[in-house]
Amino acid sequence: EVQLVQSGAEVKKPGESLKISCKGSGYSFTSYWIGWVRQMPGKGLEWMGIIYPGDSDTRYSPSFQGQVTISADKSISTAYLQWSSLKASDTAMYYCARLGMGATGEFDYWGQGTLVTVSS
Amino acid sequence: QSALTQPASVSGSPGQSITISCTGTSSDVGSYNLVSWYQQHPGKAPKLMIYEGSKRPSGVSNRFSGSKSGNTASLTISGLQAEDEADYYCCSYAGSSTYVVFGGGTKLTVL
């Protein structure tokens, strides 16, 4: 069974750094792209970026380029999303999701989400 | 990049059919038959319902169907059921640089 299990909720202060994780299981982690999707409170889905764990090839949405860093450790089947300096506007639910084999935009399996709250 | 345009809300009675539209441009929906649709219940992760415009993943009811005409994709749900009440998002492949773009979401209410 394909599963993506994300790390738990985080409460941080503005300016702090953060790295959240997404562990894949039940499939060949290195053979599928993993994406990150943001959902701000009461709002829609926004694509942030994708990574291919096999070779760490990474693509970012122009809206998030330079704002976050996506990485992966294929030895432990885990993808990461990190911030160096959080802002209040980063408060959101963050989902990781696996791209289908064709890598043409459909996210076929999703993690349960990680809620990030940034508040002073 | 601009989000795809969806109606904010649609509604229907049990047993009826509804259609949710998703309008993009010639750079995304119009150029590729690669629109996917997601269902999201409150407090839950999104679930893939349709991919590549009209294909259903294993386990998704055949009451859900997808289509496209020009720059507009559509999701049709027939035989509405109470459990269909959720938010629905469309998403289109938009080329190797933009990659994907999501719609703003549609809230479906089953009356």
Side-chain angles (χ1 to χ4, degrees):
Chain A
E1 178 195 8
V2 174
Q3 283 194 311
L4 296 172
V5 179
Q6 298 184 229
S7 49
E10 301 275 0
V11 179
K12 291 289 190 179
K13 291 181 169 24
E16 292 186 331
S17 63
L18 176 64
K19 191 174 190 177
I20 63 175
S21 66
C22 168
K23 182 173 177 62
S25 63
Y27 72 100
S28 175
F29 185 74
T30 55
S31 299
Y32 290 79
W33 291 80
I34 290 279
W36 286 95
V37 176
R38 182 176 77 174
Q39 188 167 38
M40 299 178 76
K43 302 298 184 182
L45 306 174
E46 301 172 89
W47 169 69
M48 301 177 72
I50 54 174
I51 187 166
Y52 189 73
D55 61 8
S56 291
D57 185 9
T58 308
R59 319 279 173 86
Y60 292 93
S61 161
S63 300
F64 292 92
Q65 178 82 48
Q67 307 305 308
V68 296
T69 301
I70 293 171
S71 61
D73 185 340
K74 61 185 179 182
S75 70
I76 55 172
S77 301
T78 300
Y80 301 96
L81 176 66
Q82 68 179 90
W83 296 259
S84 58
S85 181
L86 286 160
K87 303 184 286 288
S89 57
D90 292 318
T91 294
M93 181 71 81
Y94 293 88
Y95 293 101
C96 65
R98 190 187 81 165
L99 274 165
M101 180 55 81
T104 48
E106 78 276 7
F107 296 97
D108 57 1
Y109 288 91
W110 293 68
Q112 82 277 19
T114 295
L115 180 63
V116 174
T117 303
V118 184
S119 174
S120 54
Chain B
Q1 68 277 27
S2 300
L4 305 176
T5 300
Q6 299 180 233
S9 63
V10 298
S11 62
S13 300
Q16 288 186 331
S17 294
I18 62 94
T19 296
I20 299 172
S21 62
C22 169
T23 301
T25 70
S26 58
S27 297
D28 37 65
V29 176
S31 285
Y32 309 95
N33 199 22
L34 295 171
V35 174
S36 50
W37 289 90
Y38 302 87
Q39 176 191 65
Q40 187 179 35
H41 287 111
K44 300 294 187 182
K47 175 187 176 183
L48 179 65
M49 305 301 285
I50 295 287
Y51 68 101
E52 292 180 1
S54 59
K55 298 179 181 178
R56 280 188 307 276
S58 174
V60 172
S61 170
N62 60 8
R63 297 186 299 105
F64 291 82
S65 62
S67 62
K68 191 190 89 164
S69 177
N71 294 339
T72 299
S74 298
L75 173 72
T76 297
I77 309 174
S78 59
L80 269 180
Q81 299 179 0
E83 61 260 34
D84 299 332
E85 185 162 293
D87 293 325
Y88 291 84
Y89 294 90
C90 63
C91 178
S92 176
Y93 181 73
S96 58
S97 54
T98 304
Y99 195 68
V100 295
V101 59
F102 280 99
T106 298
K107 181 175 180 59
L108 169 62
T109 301
V110 180
L111 302 170

